[in-house]
Amino acid sequence: MRLRLEFTTEPFDLDEAPQHALVAREVVRAAELDAVDVGPFGNTAEGTVDQVVAAVGDVLRRTLDAGATRVSLQVNVIGEGAK
């Protein structure tokens, strides 16, 4: 099964990327994920169940440690049985 992860971290800072956003980008780029797209208002990536679940755990732990006060995420099934 393949999943798509979409997430954002807050609080936002329009002048420069906050530390938690930089950490989120680092985590998702270092994970074994495909179709990684990082942006100023959200990030997406795709992978297997194990890859996405591991990345979500790392994103939550590391961004909260880096000062995020909110992490919003969504995970969708995109392949092999997606309806």
Side-chain angles (χ1 to χ4, degrees):
M1 178 183 310
R2 289 195 51 81
L3 303 177
R4 176 177 293 124
L5 166 65
E6 301 175 50
F7 70 93
T8 59
T9 61
E10 296 180 39
F12 294 116
D13 183 338
L14 297 177
D15 294 327
E16 64 181 70
Q19 184 62 34
H20 58 80
L22 298 175
V23 166
R25 291 176 189 167
E26 175 186 310
V27 170
V28 79
R29 285 182 175 150
E32 295 180 13
L33 298 169
D34 305 319
V36 174
D37 184 26
V38 296
F41 300 108
N43 307 284
T44 61
E46 298 176 7
T48 66
V49 172
D50 290 339
Q51 291 168 328
V52 170
V53 169
V56 166
D58 288 345
V59 164
L60 290 173
R61 276 188 293 279
R62 295 196 49 207
T63 59
L64 293 170
D65 284 346
T69 57
R70 176 184 220 165
V71 179
S72 301
L73 64 91
Q74 178 172 298
V75 176
N76 293 300
V77 176
I78 58 169
E80 296 180 41
K83 298 181 182 187

